[in-house]
Amino acid sequence: MKTTVIGLGLIGGSMAIDLRKAGVATSLTGVERSDVHANRALELGLVDQIQTEGNLADADLILVSIPVNAVNALLPGLLDTIGKDTVIIDVGSTKTAICKSVRNHPRRSNFVAAHPIAGTENSGPDAAFAGLFTNKTNIICERELSSENALSVALKVFDALGMRTIFMDPEEHDRHVAYVSHLSHVSSFLLGQTVLDIEKDEKNIFNLAGSGFASTVRLAKSSPQMWAPIFEQNAEYLSQALLEYIMHLQRFHYHLMKHDTRELQRIMNGANDIRRILDGIELKQKGNTSK
Ligand code: NAP
């Protein structure tokens, strides 16, 4: 398939690498805002060429991998200009606002709203790598509004990336990811900020930081340019998740002040149950790899 990737960062670049490898993308064209990143993407061989202007009617497949507010702004106009059989897939981390932006568009059926759940804290073309998506889950929303052809192209793409696809409605998607993804990013950004505020002498942070701190605060290195629009679009569900998190923090603080060590231990014993869930996920992934 003649494939165009709009946004050659971590996600768009990594998709380009694996789709070329799998033979799904027979030619790859990139669309990039900055010349520096466009040239870097070419140097890295993520795409064969960069298209700077003109319409994209020629492509069989267009992957939209830019911040979610930019997806909203771009998508309706993009659908206006594509070829009759061109399929557009977006990979944005929120789905309600994006789906709404094209719900009544006459070419809606050419579009598939997806969210491949895989990533790192790094961004830009240099962050892209092969195998990012292997054995991870992809979510497709409003499958009933995509044509049979568009859906089968999307499944071919995500299968080639080694992903398992599940289907959800956009609101359900946004509610779930508010807890398992967006809240952990907020929590990490503000843990980083809390420590930075207290430890003005950065050398001390560096000297004392163990692997526990580094792994808990890893997500605070993520791109604010990408995450701020996600938080904005998912403000309602994220607010709900944050309030619950704050309630847990306040409860912990209360027992800490009461020197109620037994209760603190009980809370942590409860939280240890996360091991069961994470071990289950790991086992499932190992099972998929050995298949
Ligand atoms: P990234 O590495 O920062 O790449 C973003 C790309 O979008 C870059 O090519 C950037 O161009 C371009 N861009 C930035 N602002 C833009 C704007 N206003 N208009 C047009 N293009 C713009 O980000 P990413 O991690 O690949 O994320 C891309 C999409 O994937 C987002 O929708 C995100 O929600 C979704 N996603 C991310 C993850 C994750 O964990 N990172 C996981 C799943 C899905 P320049 O290089 O010129 O700035």
Side-chain angles (χ1 to χ4, degrees), residues 178-193:
Y179 284 87
V180 293
S181 169
H182 305 173
L183 178 61
S184 31
H185 279 81
V186 174
S187 143
S188 191
F189 276 122
L190 296 168
L191 171 63
Q193 189 58 58

Side-chain angles (χ1 to χ4, degrees), residues 7-12 32-34 37 65-68 70-71 91-94 115-120 122-125 223 225-227 230:
L8 293 165
L10 169 70
I11 301 295
E32 252 294 327
R33 276 188 322 176
S34 91
H37 280 166
S65 182
I66 56 183
V68 290
V71 178
V91 295
S93 306
T94 52
H115 179 196
I117 314 258
T120 71
N122 303 317
S123 51
S223 155
Q225 192 196 31
M226 196 198 82
W227 280 98
I230 293 175

Side-chain angles (χ1 to χ4, degrees), residues 105-126:
H105 195 287
R107 313 288 291 278
R108 169 63 182 84
S109 62
N110 292 53
F111 168 62
V112 178
H115 179 196
I117 314 258
T120 71
E121 68 277 24
N122 303 317
S123 51
D126 279 291

Side-chain angles (χ1 to χ4, degrees), residues 70-188:
V71 178
N72 274 15
L74 178 84
L75 210 47
L78 187 59
L79 273 171
D80 287 339
T81 59
I82 53 164
K84 179 168 79 49
D85 296 319
T86 304
V87 174
I88 302 178
I89 303 175
D90 97 290
V91 295
S93 306
T94 52
K95 291 270 76 79
T96 304
I98 289 172
C99 286
K100 202 169 159 202
S101 75
V102 290
R103 187 160 297 139
N104 298 315
H105 195 287
R107 313 288 291 278
R108 169 63 182 84
S109 62
N110 292 53
F111 168 62
V112 178
H115 179 196
I117 314 258
T120 71
E121 68 277 24
N122 303 317
S123 51
D126 279 291
F129 64 96
L132 169 64
F133 305 100
T134 312
N135 290 327
K136 305 279 171 45
T137 299
N138 170 55
I139 299 175
I140 287 181
C141 294
E142 290 189 334
R143 71 185 292 186
E144 67 287 356
L145 297 186
S146 302
S147 70
E148 224 170 90
N149 173 55
L151 208 53
S152 94
V153 166
L155 290 175
K156 192 170 166 189
V157 164
F158 292 109
D159 282 356
L161 296 177
M163 305 195 85
R164 177 180 76 106
T165 292
I166 59 172
F167 301 93
M168 272 185 194
D169 75 57
E171 294 267 345
E172 186 188 9
H173 165 276
D174 285 5
R175 187 162 55 82
H176 287 321
V177 293
Y179 284 87
V180 293
S181 169
H182 305 173
L183 178 61
S184 31
H185 279 81
V186 174
S187 143
S188 191

